[in-house]
Amino acid sequence: FDTDIWYSDWFKLNQVDWDAVSGWLICTQIHATEDVGDAGASPIVAFEFTRSGMFLMTRTWPGASGPDENPDSTTRFTLPSFKEDTWYRRVLRFKVNNAGAAEIQFWLDGVEVLSLTGISIGYPDAVAPYPKFGIYSGNAMPDDSIATVVEFSNVEIGTSSLLARVDTPLDLI
């Protein structure tokens, strides 16, 4: 907590059957580690996708314990021009703090598109959050739906700075 967490990748979301997935997907998330007595909660940082674009979302729960219900999300960045079947290069830096001292920066394809300080991100947990990768949606995929595939390349995550990836990304493999 109160430590920079860095994430970098190349990312592509292939064709999506939006009706089959109830209109939204989460691909790439940082999830809180639940303490005893916590209600299950949505991720504290997530990339959500809808027909309307890509959204960088955060969640928080104030106080010394909890959450005891699933908190609402806050949209921190929106890319309405997000295109399926297109590679994007993402670099994300954030600090978890649920008492107004969190930070978040996001670079997309080498351009800083978000920089916030003095915000709240996360829950009052004893154990640090962890990453989850894949496709998460509101519905199970029907048998006759179009396959939805997410591709990742050069995923890096940790507490060492990945700022160099903004200007000097690893080659797409």
Side-chain angles (χ1 to χ4, degrees):
F1 301 103
D2 295 320
T3 299
D4 284 340
I5 299 173
W6 287 86
Y7 177 86
S8 176
D9 73 0
W10 284 90
F11 172 87
K12 179 169 77 164
L13 181 62
N14 293 320
Q15 185 175 1
V16 178
D17 184 343
W18 291 110
D19 293 325
V21 298
S22 73
W24 63 270
L25 297 170
I26 290 179
C27 303
T28 313
Q29 59 182 294
I30 306 299
H31 224 282
T33 302
E34 295 175 13
D35 295 334
V36 174
D38 286 354
S42 294
I44 60 172
V45 177
F47 287 94
E48 185 171 318
F49 300 84
T50 72
R51 285 182 172 102
S52 301
M54 178 179 78
F55 306 87
L56 177 54
M57 315 290 283
T58 66
R59 287 181 174 79
T60 192
W61 186 265
S65 65
D68 55 17
E69 63 184 46
N70 196 22
D72 291 334
S73 62
T74 300
T75 301
R76 301 296 184 177
F77 171 76
T78 302
L79 179 66
S81 61
F82 177 82
K83 293 179 179 60
E84 296 171 19
D85 299 314
T86 301
W87 283 102
Y88 290 91
R89 188 167 40 94
R90 305 182 296 183
V91 177
L92 177 69
R93 182 196 69 84
F94 64 96
K95 283 184 183 177
V96 175
N97 182 292
N98 73 322
E103 300 175 5
I104 190 166
Q105 283 181 283
F106 179 48
W107 294 263
L108 185 63
D109 294 331
V111 177
E112 185 178 50
V113 295
L114 176 69
S115 181
L116 298 172
T117 61
I119 60 173
S120 293
I121 298 174
Y123 309 140
D125 292 320
V127 178
Y130 60 94
K132 291 175 79 173
F133 303 95
I135 299 172
Y136 305 87
S137 146
N139 290 339
M141 299 296 286
D143 291 338
D144 63 346
S145 66
I146 299 167
T148 299
V149 177
V150 61
E151 296 181 59
F152 298 94
S153 183
N154 297 319
V155 174
E156 299 175 278
I157 189 167
T159 55
S160 296
S161 175
L162 294 173
L163 186 60
R165 295 291 178 253
V166 172
D167 294 324
T168 312
L170 295 174
D171 291 335
L172 179 61
I173 55 172

